[in-house]
Amino acid sequence: MSNATLPGDPPGGRRAVAVWSIGVGVYFVAVIFRTSLGVAGLDAADRFHVGASALSTFSILQLLVYAGMQIPVGLLVDRLGTKKVLSIGAVLFTAGQLGFAFSPTYGTALASRALLGCGDAMTFISVLRLGTRWFPARRGPMVAQLAGLTGMAGNLVSTLVLARLLHGIGWTPAFAGSALAGVVVLILTLLFLEDHPDGHEPEPSSHQGAVHVRRQIAAAWREPGTRLGLWVHFTTQFPAMVFLLLWGLPFLVQAQGLSRATAGELLTLVVLSNMVIGLVYGQIVARHHAARLPLALGTVGATATLWAVTLAYPGEHAPTWLLVVLCAVLGACGPASMIGFDFARPANPPERQGTASGITNMGGFIASMTTLFAVGVLLDATGDDYTVAFSAVFVLQALGISQILRLRGRAVRREQERLVASRVETVHVPAA
């Protein structure tokens, strides 16, 4: 079943694209800053005189701050609107990137990354909210996938551009210079971004304070679609996130015997695959809403299969073609995680969209943090046995699938009831 046009849908159009593009630009810059450490890991170790465990703390802390901020940010978006939250986020992640450029010690660098993670956490949910305010509901899946694709483009900029700047002009000029992009998107947001089109203002909330916050979170959580969205995001996103953020390069170099250059090319393949598959998934879900769950579960199954074949390969190293296929399939994890928002979105009214998106977005980052930590512990315990360490992936996937199968029936029934009710309401509303 395709998405139906609901009463009161925004019109979309060129103005919607222009406004939404500003918000996406903020998210694009945030992702560049978020992933900048991935190309500067060795330089950071030398600059701050730290080992691998201290270096990994940068990534884990950043994810911890990001995940912990999701529900507060969702509440802020619902209460303050997109423009204010995106502006605050741009100030914070720009200050974090600038602080990282000039940090003289490991402690100050860690604090800068935490500040950056806090600002970064404010961007994606805001962009999702902006899309629902400016585009018709039937465009939601494609708009969300395009936002995710833009984020991966930011990852690509870090890999291809920032890495060259870092090795060409040095640490401080590269990071301080990149911070100027944050200033640019902040100015654009303040001058041109609008929360919603004329005539589509949200109803003002008469409830404020802690009681309203608790009710807002509880109401979003009670919806099975919100919980299903969280578990879809949890189960699909983390394999690629863990691979790109920290453990992919060591696995390919140490366990598979590849050169750093070849390993870097395979990491880039994950990003490129993500961008291509994101467009395909967005089109499929927009036209065939019932394809959401099969796509998500199919991605989990394909990911688990490729990991199992790679880790269990009988030779000393897996063949290059198998690693290429693995990285191409990992590229589907990001687009599949976006499907989680397509379950949470129709389950919640407009005034609760930010909160529901925040709950959903926590899923993948909690799974990523857990796996990052588990892989590190297992590597230390087994003497760098990557086969045992990466088996943690299967445990989290099994947990996520069990929850998806438990919630899917209730979520789909509830969504159908809402759609029928909206159609009945449309029929009974007299024409102006």
Side-chain angles (χ1 to χ4, degrees), residues 27 124 143-153 274 338:
Y27 176 55
F124 187 64
V143 169
Q145 288 289 354
L146 287 174
L149 186 150
T150 303
M152 293 309 294
N274 183 299
M338 300 299 299

Side-chain angles (χ1 to χ4, degrees), residues 157-158 160-171 173-175 177-178:
V157 168
S158 287
L160 300 179
V161 179
L162 189 58
R164 293 184 180 180
L165 287 175
L166 187 64
H167 298 128
I169 62 178
W171 179 281
F175 279 101
S178 66

Side-chain angles (χ1 to χ4, degrees), residues 59-417:
S59 299
I60 294 175
L61 175 64
Q62 200 167 321
L63 286 183
L64 181 63
V65 172
Y66 190 102
M69 286 290 295
Q70 290 310 293
I71 291 179
V73 168
L75 291 165
L76 281 175
V77 171
D78 288 335
R79 183 170 180 177
L80 301 180
T82 302
K83 181 171 184 173
K84 290 181 180 178
V85 176
L86 272 180
S87 299
I88 295 170
V91 170
L92 292 177
F93 67 61
T94 301
Q97 186 79 339
L98 198 60
F100 197 58
F102 292 100
S103 291
T105 65
Y106 174 73
T108 55
L110 205 60
S112 296
R113 295 306 287 187
L115 186 63
L116 193 157
C118 186
D120 179 20
M122 296 184 173
T123 58
F124 187 64
I125 293 176
S126 298
V127 170
L128 288 179
R129 169 66 173 262
L130 200 63
T132 61
R133 289 297 189 192
W134 280 91
F135 293 96
R138 66 182 183 277
R139 301 294 184 193
M142 177 54 69
V143 169
Q145 288 289 354
L146 287 174
L149 186 150
T150 303
M152 293 309 294
N155 195 327
L156 204 59
V157 168
S158 287
T159 303
L160 300 179
V161 179
L162 189 58
R164 293 184 180 180
L165 287 175
L166 187 64
H167 298 128
I169 62 178
W171 179 281
T172 299
F175 279 101
S178 66
L180 292 176
V183 177
V184 172
V185 294
L186 173 61
I187 293 173
L188 291 174
T189 300
L190 293 173
L191 292 179
F192 301 111
L193 193 136
E194 298 178 45
D195 285 341
H196 46 73
D198 295 336
H200 291 269
E201 296 83 358
E203 294 184 8
S205 175
S206 58
H207 304 286
Q208 304 295 340
V211 174
H212 172 65
V213 167
R214 288 196 296 269
R215 289 176 178 172
Q216 186 89 337
I217 296 173
W221 181 254
R222 279 196 300 268
E223 290 293 342
T226 303
R227 283 175 280 145
L228 179 59
L230 179 145
W231 283 107
V232 168
H233 200 268
F234 177 101
T235 314
T236 54
Q237 187 202 46
F238 78 93
M241 172 82 63
V242 169
F243 197 80
L244 287 171
L245 202 59
L246 188 59
W247 293 121
L249 189 67
F251 170 74
L252 294 172
V253 174
Q254 296 177 0
Q256 300 302 322
L258 300 180
S259 67
R260 286 180 177 269
T262 303
E265 291 172 357
L266 287 177
L267 294 180
T268 302
L269 174 62
V270 177
V271 177
L272 293 175
S273 173
N274 183 299
M275 296 173 72
V276 173
I277 294 174
L279 290 174
V280 175
Y281 276 22
Q283 289 283 0
I284 292 174
V285 174
R287 297 178 182 181
H288 308 284
H289 218 44
R292 292 173 299 173
L293 209 54
L295 281 178
L297 292 176
T299 300
V300 175
T303 305
T305 300
L306 264 297
W307 264 122
V309 172
T310 301
L311 295 176
Y313 194 80
E316 183 179 359
H317 302 305
T320 303
W321 66 265
L322 181 56
L323 296 175
V324 169
V325 175
L326 171 67
C327 290
V329 170
L330 285 175
C333 291
S337 72
M338 300 299 299
I339 295 173
F341 298 103
D342 291 319
F343 286 106
R345 187 185 306 112
N348 292 274
E351 64 271 13
R352 218 164 55 217
Q353 287 293 321
T355 305
S357 295
I359 293 173
T360 300
N361 207 30
M362 286 178 61
F365 290 94
I366 291 173
S368 296
M369 280 190 301
T370 304
T371 309
L372 280 169
F373 178 73
V375 170
V377 169
L378 290 171
L379 285 174
D380 287 339
T382 60
D384 291 340
D385 188 332
Y386 280 89
T387 299
V388 175
F390 271 107
S391 295
V393 170
F394 305 124
V395 176
L396 270 74
Q397 285 182 324
L399 171 63
I401 289 174
S402 69
Q403 296 301 311
I404 290 172
L405 296 179
R406 182 177 69 86
L407 290 165
R408 62 175 180 173
R410 278 179 283 172
V412 171
R413 285 195 299 272
R414 178 73 170 145
E415 189 174 305
Q416 292 285 353
E417 291 169 1

